[in-house]
Amino acid sequence: MFTALHFAIIAPFLAAILVPILYKLVSRIHTGWFVLLVPFLLFIYFIQFLPITSNNESVTAVFDWIPSLGISFAAYVDGLGLLFALLITGIGSLVVLYSIYYLSKEKESLNNFYVYLLMFMGAMLGVVLSDNLIVLYTFWEITSISSFLLISYWYEREKSRYGALKSMLITMLGGFAMLVGIVLLYQMTNTFSIQEIAASSSEILNHPLFLPAMLLILLGAFTKSAQFPFHIWLPDAMEAPTPVSAYLHSATMVKAGIYLVARLSPVFAFSGEWLWLVAGFGITTLFWGSFSAVRHTDLKAILAYSTVSQLGMILSMLGVGAAALHFDSIDNNLYIGATAAALFHLINHATFKGSLFMMVGIVDHETGTRDIRHLGGLMTVMPITFTIAVIGSFSMAGLPPFNGFLSKEMFFTAMLNITTFNLFSVDTIGIVFPIVAWIASIFTFIYSMIIVFKTFGGKLQLNKLPSKPHEAPFGMLISPLVLISLVIVFGFFPNILSYTVIAPAMASILPSVLANGEQFHVDIYFWHGWTLELFMTLGVVALGSLLYLSIRKWSGVYSLFPETLSFNKLYDQTLFTGERAASRITGLYMTGSIRHYLVYIFIFFTAILIATLFGKDALTLTTDNTAPVSVHELILAAMLIFSALTVMFASKRMTVLISLGVTGYTVALFFVIFRAPDLALTQLIIETVSVALFLLCFYHLPNITKDLKKVRFQTGNFIVSLAVGITITLIGISANGTRLFESISGFFPEASYDLAGGKNMVNVILVDFRGTDTLFEILVLGIAALGIFTMIKLRLAGRDRL
Amino acid sequence: MEIVMSIVAGVLFMAGTYLVLSKNMIRIIVGTSVISHGAHLLLLTMAGLKTGAPPLLGLEASNYTDPLPQALILTAIVISFGVTSFFLVLGYRAYKVTGTDDTDGLRGPDAHD
């Protein structure tokens, strides 16, 4: 049944159809205002589900799509799906509002922009609210495509196209891997429904396809969420307009992979591999992203790497949180906290990263540059933007009293808990996690400070700025201000999220931990007492400040890892060598010479046939059914062989021609001997006409060297043709030696007179029993005649008369 | 006799293939002609040789040669004749337009480089 929920999911697509019409008809009003209605109304609609999901209940609505394949558009709203749906529609509304002021009505093709954006929004809603994996995959690919379109929005720029192609290739690679993973899951469970697969997770745990399915699906999630080493597409995607970067590449699309990991945790998380892979890749990405962010000078690039690192952080917490599934009860279950932290940070990251991107967009819009080497001293010029930047960055750095502090504390707790984790006998490795996490947090602190103080602190360098800076229009500031106030609200009152959003989402990720009617206890406090986590944060601030102040002295550390070894280079090199190798291989065999192609064909068929003959032991030589050999037949055979060889090696063209005629007439003689009078007649006439034609042709080619060019004996050609000849002979002999059943020849002597009234059996077959053959043979002759006629008569412009 | 004829057909195929692999257009067309001779002979041989009288009911023989392969060969002869004559004129025309009868001279512009 098609319900309101289904309509809500595809509403953005329907709205996208209307956008170009509105753009053309109502050109006076910025198209964004109409678009704004869609996510806003959807947000209101999805809020209504909160009371349902906060009781750990869910809503399912199934609309059959391809029932015979088990594919149905099953909309499923539970805590996790709703959390994402609210993020998508909520931040979507703010981003549309921001884009109304960011994109000029006159200069930009807004119709394209909003169509792509709405497509993306609908696809994203589809991803997070689908229970059917195939439908999820469909929407997943639409997010990739619409992201590709949005990144290349300014398609006349080369870097936009490069970034779009890169993100497309990488996310599509992951998408296809994921599709294979989905199919493997279907093989194991015979259903595409995530809920049903999760219900049978314990049965498939030891299935041989379990691990491949897990790895392939993780590949899809990691590429989408820009995890190490697939993070390289995200910084290049920053060529998109800033609203797109804020929406897609910080708040929503890159979290699709995180959503997938969270969603499929109940399926896979019982295996140790899942846990260590997710946590391991997450922590690596966290470190690498925050480490790389410090070296960049473009604000959006810094934010891109920071997004990469924060995504890694969320993923590592999800990985650790999955350990909770190994314990049945929620009491004394240390790892539940990690899942709560992951979800909390997911929300926090969407708020502060969205506002930071919008802040950068404002700076770019008002000063004309995003390069921190040119920026500085904007504090007094743009006080509101500065406030946004300070709050956003401090939250990102994990400083109190903002929400980032809370999630960072919870993150440290989760990482410290992993050291006590000894379920899979790798407990010694566990100690690496909190250390790496701590170092990465220091780098996070440093680049957060860079964003604030290099942009707004220091001296104003008016001569380096393309345009004179001033505060942004108020409309542009609304969205980041809303987000930044959320940062503060969630910072001071984190528990408004706890039981409305986070606990229900946790129930979706860790369903087996809860007994009937139980609730997760998510209480987030500022003050835990003098714990190790607090000292770690203090250490981050102290060491981070020190390192930030001395950044010039140690920035040489980046040259330890040379540019030529970077993953971008690897990607470029792979594409380049791939293209060149493909073109070389093609150039190697596609020579343009017909002789080469014929040689391939002959060799291929000969090899296949010979291999089959010997492989199947089909080679037989019997003389049981053969006709006796007489001398005059042998003489004819020798003549035929001789004339064929003469044709083969003769260099005078008249010799070739006469030998060809001899061949044809000898064949006619064979037809006489082998009791085929009609064949002999036809063969004689046709051979005569053919020879005449050849003669005519030769006569009319006066400019061709009188003799065919001296025929050089070509060993290669000869070997190939010898192989062909031997194959034919062997097949002929073998076929003759094996008769599987009687032929139908007994039918014709009786039937041709009784049924067809003719005594010449061959002619009766030709015109009566198998008359259709003859009809089309006539057609062939007719076409050949017409073709020859046209070829001779056809005059191309400027050609001589033939 | 069938074994001898198989060998003969093999030789015809060999000669035809060798001609088809040469660079001269006329030789290629001659090659197709030779191959079709081989194919016709092979068809006839596969049906069994000299199993009876020619397939004419008026002869009132006790058994006749299989007429079906003969009908097939007749069709094939006519078709190969049509194709050969078309090829001949095509080769002639190609020579007129390009001024060469060397297939290496008939390559299109090289796509890869």
Side-chain angles (χ1 to χ4, degrees):
Chain A
M1 235 181 63
F2 197 81
T3 58
L5 187 58
H6 289 112
F7 181 75
I9 294 173
I10 63 162
F13 292 106
L14 300 177
I17 299 173
L18 293 176
V19 164
I21 302 169
L22 286 170
Y23 178 72
K24 291 281 176 210
L25 286 185
V26 199
S27 52
R28 220 159 26 82
I29 306 170
H30 196 287
T31 317
W33 289 111
F34 301 110
V35 177
L36 182 59
L37 277 177
V38 179
F40 185 68
L41 291 178
L42 285 174
F43 184 72
I44 307 242
Y45 173 76
F46 282 119
I47 289 241
Q48 294 170 355
F49 285 91
L50 273 178
I52 303 173
T53 58
S54 54
N55 290 329
N56 287 354
E57 285 162 12
S58 59
V59 179
T60 315
V62 181
F63 175 71
D64 275 341
W65 183 18
I66 314 172
S68 55
L69 297 178
I71 297 170
S72 56
F73 185 4
Y76 176 77
V77 185
D78 64 348
L80 184 65
L82 188 66
L83 163 64
F84 274 89
L86 289 175
L87 272 182
I88 291 160
T89 50
I91 296 187
S93 315
L94 295 173
V95 161
V96 172
L97 180 66
Y98 176 78
S99 71
I100 292 172
Y101 291 93
Y102 187 84
L103 292 173
S104 145
K105 185 159 60 107
E106 286 79 24
K107 288 182 207 148
E108 308 286 354
S109 45
L110 292 173
N111 49 345
N112 293 347
F113 182 80
Y114 287 112
V115 167
Y116 302 158
L117 198 72
L118 282 171
M119 249 172 78
F120 171 79
M121 195 180 292
M124 221 29 232
L125 279 177
V127 166
V128 299
L129 296 177
S130 293
D131 185 48
N132 193 290
L133 279 171
I134 292 291
V135 176
L136 189 149
Y137 171 75
T138 311
F139 284 119
W140 183 278
E141 290 296 337
I142 301 177
T143 64
S144 292
I145 293 165
S146 48
S147 160
F148 167 80
L149 290 168
L150 282 167
I151 296 169
S152 57
Y153 177 64
W154 289 309
Y155 52 81
E156 65 278 7
R157 299 185 189 169
E158 211 218 318
K159 284 181 97 178
S160 297
R161 298 196 302 271
Y162 171 80
L165 186 66
K166 194 176 191 176
S167 75
M168 177 91 150
L169 283 177
I170 294 177
T171 52
M172 287 279 175
L173 172 87
F176 285 132
M178 191 179 118
L179 180 62
V180 179
I182 289 171
V183 172
L184 291 183
L185 271 182
Y186 183 76
Q187 283 294 315
M188 287 185 278
T189 58
N190 227 14
T191 174
F192 283 123
S193 160
I194 299 173
Q195 299 309 311
E196 289 171 31
I197 292 174
S200 57
S201 61
S202 50
E203 294 156 34
I204 60 172
L205 188 59
N206 292 318
H207 197 284
L209 292 178
F210 181 81
L211 199 60
M214 186 180 94
L215 291 176
L216 287 165
I217 285 182
L218 273 184
L219 184 62
F222 286 174
T223 49
K224 197 75 161 186
S225 280
Q227 294 299 300
F228 184 88
F230 308 109
H231 63 277
I232 50 170
W233 66 266
L234 189 64
D236 282 307
M238 290 300 127
E239 292 302 320
T242 304
V244 173
S245 311
Y247 189 38
L248 273 70
H249 306 127
S250 73
T252 51
M253 187 176 95
V254 287
K255 289 187 176 137
I258 295 200
Y259 167 79
L260 196 73
V261 169
R263 178 55 88 200
L264 295 177
S265 280
V267 179
F268 292 113
F270 289 101
S271 73
E273 291 90 346
W274 171 271
L275 223 145
W276 292 112
L277 274 174
V278 174
F281 269 91
I283 203 89
T284 315
T285 313
L286 166 65
F287 174 75
W288 189 250
S290 57
F291 177 68
S292 306
V294 178
R295 72 195 299 186
H296 283 274
T297 54
D298 179 40
L299 278 174
K300 268 178 113 175
I302 299 176
L303 286 180
Y305 278 104
S306 126
T307 304
V308 168
S309 99
Q310 305 274 319
L311 291 169
M313 176 172 160
I314 298 172
L315 208 65
S316 66
M317 288 191 275
L318 275 179
V320 176
L325 283 171
H326 295 274
F327 304 96
D328 283 337
S329 72
I330 54 170
D331 303 319
N332 301 323
N333 197 331
L334 280 174
Y335 309 104
I336 289 175
T339 307
L343 292 167
F344 188 47
H345 193 67
L346 185 89
I347 302 167
N348 293 343
H349 177 248
T351 57
F352 67 69
K353 193 52 67 64
S355 62
L356 282 176
F357 266 111
M358 292 175 184
M359 179 277 290
V360 169
I362 291 170
V363 169
D364 188 15
H365 207 267
E366 305 306 332
T367 65
T369 181
R370 300 193 306 246
D371 195 324
I372 53 171
R373 286 167 302 186
H374 300 170
L375 292 165
L378 295 173
M379 198 187 299
T380 48
V381 190
M382 305 167 81
I384 306 175
T385 318
F386 171 64
T387 315
I388 295 165
V390 167
I391 298 173
S393 300
F394 281 19
S395 177
M396 183 158 73
L399 297 180
F402 307 114
N403 57 5
F405 170 73
L406 301 170
S407 42
K408 183 139 295 182
E409 294 278 280
M410 292 163 84
F411 170 60
F412 283 148
T413 313
M415 288 301 127
L416 289 172
N417 282 341
I418 205 171
T419 52
T420 63
F421 186 70
N422 54 4
L423 204 59
F424 301 104
S425 70
V426 241
D427 45 350
T428 44
I429 298 178
I431 192 74
V432 177
F433 280 79
I435 295 170
V436 175
W438 187 69
I439 297 170
S441 298
I442 294 173
F443 281 110
T444 308
F445 183 86
I446 296 170
Y447 70 69
S448 301
M449 295 306 115
I450 289 177
I451 290 175
V452 178
F453 292 110
K454 296 269 180 188
T455 314
F456 296 95
K459 274 212 320 237
L460 193 59
Q461 313 172 62
L462 274 178
N463 55 334
K464 282 190 179 174
L465 295 180
S467 56
K468 192 169 157 33
H470 52 82
E471 187 57 273
F474 180 66
M476 222 180 208
L477 289 167
I478 301 173
S479 302
L481 280 177
V482 171
L483 285 172
I484 222 69
S485 49
L486 285 177
V487 168
I488 298 170
V489 169
F490 294 156
F492 282 107
F493 312 104
N495 291 322
I496 57 169
L497 291 173
S498 302
Y499 290 98
T500 48
V501 180
I502 295 179
M506 285 168 71
S508 320
I509 303 175
L510 309 168
S512 62
V513 179
L514 281 184
N516 226 352
E518 269 183 313
Q519 277 271 11
F520 282 108
H521 308 294
V522 192
D523 295 310
I524 304 167
Y525 301 109
F526 263 111
W527 185 248
H528 297 274
W530 293 103
T531 53
L532 184 54
E533 291 91 328
L534 187 65
F535 287 112
M536 282 169 82
T537 305
L538 288 177
V540 166
V541 175
L543 208 61
S545 313
L546 209 68
L547 282 173
Y548 171 68
L549 294 173
S550 59
I551 193 162
R552 289 237 173 89
K553 291 186 184 128
W554 57 272
S555 57
V557 77
Y558 288 106
S559 54
L560 292 177
F561 187 75
E563 191 69 21
T564 44
L565 286 177
S566 71
F567 292 101
N568 275 318
K569 273 275 178 311
L570 183 72
Y571 165 85
D572 290 338
Q573 206 61 45
T574 311
L575 273 197
F576 180 70
T577 37
E579 271 173 23
R580 220 180 38 180
S583 123
R584 273 207 187 147
I585 291 170
T586 312
L588 212 61
Y589 68 92
M590 298 297 280
T591 53
S593 153
I594 188 159
R595 205 178 66 81
H596 289 155
Y597 302 158
L598 285 172
V599 168
Y600 305 149
I601 295 171
F602 285 131
I603 288 178
F604 177 76
F605 277 111
T606 319
I608 291 271
L609 289 172
I610 294 281
T612 317
L613 267 184
F614 285 98
K616 297 276 176 196
D617 220 8
L619 212 56
T620 48
L621 175 68
T622 52
T623 47
D624 302 346
N625 289 322
T626 51
V629 184
S630 65
V631 180
H632 57 277
E633 285 163 356
L634 275 184
I635 293 170
L636 272 186
M639 201 160 111
L640 197 51
I641 289 174
F642 177 74
S643 64
L645 292 178
T646 317
V647 176
M648 192 168 158
F649 293 116
S651 55
K652 290 225 185 276
R653 62 189 191 186
M654 208 45 91
T655 321
V656 172
L657 203 53
I658 291 170
S659 311
L660 184 65
V662 170
T663 315
Y665 288 126
T666 320
V667 170
L669 283 181
F670 268 118
F671 287 153
V672 172
I673 290 176
F674 295 140
R675 321 276 197 276
D678 298 285
L679 286 186
L681 271 174
T682 320
Q683 179 66 30
L684 279 172
I685 294 167
I686 281 194
E687 198 54 40
T688 314
V689 178
S690 298
V691 170
L693 265 178
F694 272 102
L695 270 174
L696 206 68
C697 212
F698 280 16
Y699 179 75
H700 277 286
L701 293 177
N703 293 333
I704 295 187
T705 39
K706 262 273 185 275
D707 293 319
L708 298 166
K709 275 179 203 138
K710 180 74 188 147
V711 188
R712 250 197 3 258
F713 180 75
Q714 295 200 299
T715 322
N717 289 358
F718 183 72
I719 292 170
V720 172
S721 42
L722 194 65
V724 170
I726 289 172
T727 312
I728 296 290
T729 305
L730 288 180
I731 288 176
I733 292 171
S734 304
N736 210 45
T738 35
R739 294 208 185 267
L740 297 175
F741 43 81
E742 275 304 299
S743 82
I744 58 159
S745 53
F747 167 80
F748 294 107
E750 289 173 18
S752 54
Y753 191 72
D754 298 344
L755 296 179
K759 289 187 175 174
N760 184 333
M761 284 184 255
V762 175
N763 288 5
V764 166
I765 292 174
L766 281 174
V767 299
D768 197 314
F769 293 130
R770 301 180 58 91
T772 324
D773 285 3
T774 314
L775 181 70
F776 288 108
E777 162 198 341
I778 292 166
L779 189 68
V780 168
L781 265 193
I783 291 172
L786 274 177
I788 289 167
F789 180 76
T790 6
M791 252 195 304
I792 292 172
K793 285 289 176 192
L794 181 73
R795 298 277 188 274
L796 296 171
R799 299 265 183 244
D800 299 337
R801 286 178 72 88
L802 295 175
Chain B
M1 193 62 218
E2 277 85 349
I3 292 164
V4 177
M5 289 312 289
S6 296
I7 292 167
V8 170
V11 172
L12 284 175
F13 267 92
M14 183 191 76
T17 310
Y18 186 78
L19 286 165
V20 162
L21 290 179
S22 71
K23 285 181 179 174
N24 184 288
M25 235 162 8
I26 298 293
R27 284 174 72 86
I28 292 176
I29 300 169
V30 170
T32 57
S33 212
V34 174
I35 288 182
S36 60
H37 285 320
H40 300 154
L41 276 187
L42 203 61
L43 261 174
L44 197 69
T45 311
M46 288 303 102
L49 299 169
K50 294 197 284 190
T51 48
L56 301 168
L57 283 177
L59 295 174
E60 295 185 351
S62 55
N63 58 334
Y64 297 97
T65 316
D66 193 347
L68 189 60
Q70 298 194 11
L72 296 182
I73 294 167
L74 199 61
T75 313
I77 288 174
V78 175
I79 289 176
S80 70
F81 167 69
V83 173
T84 306
S85 44
F86 184 82
F87 274 174
L88 268 175
V89 179
L90 187 67
Y92 171 66
R93 179 77 203 212
Y95 167 73
K96 275 287 179 188
V97 172
T98 62
T100 177
D101 64 341
D102 187 340
T103 50
D104 280 350
L106 292 176
R107 288 191 206 189
D110 215 337
H112 313 281
D113 261 333

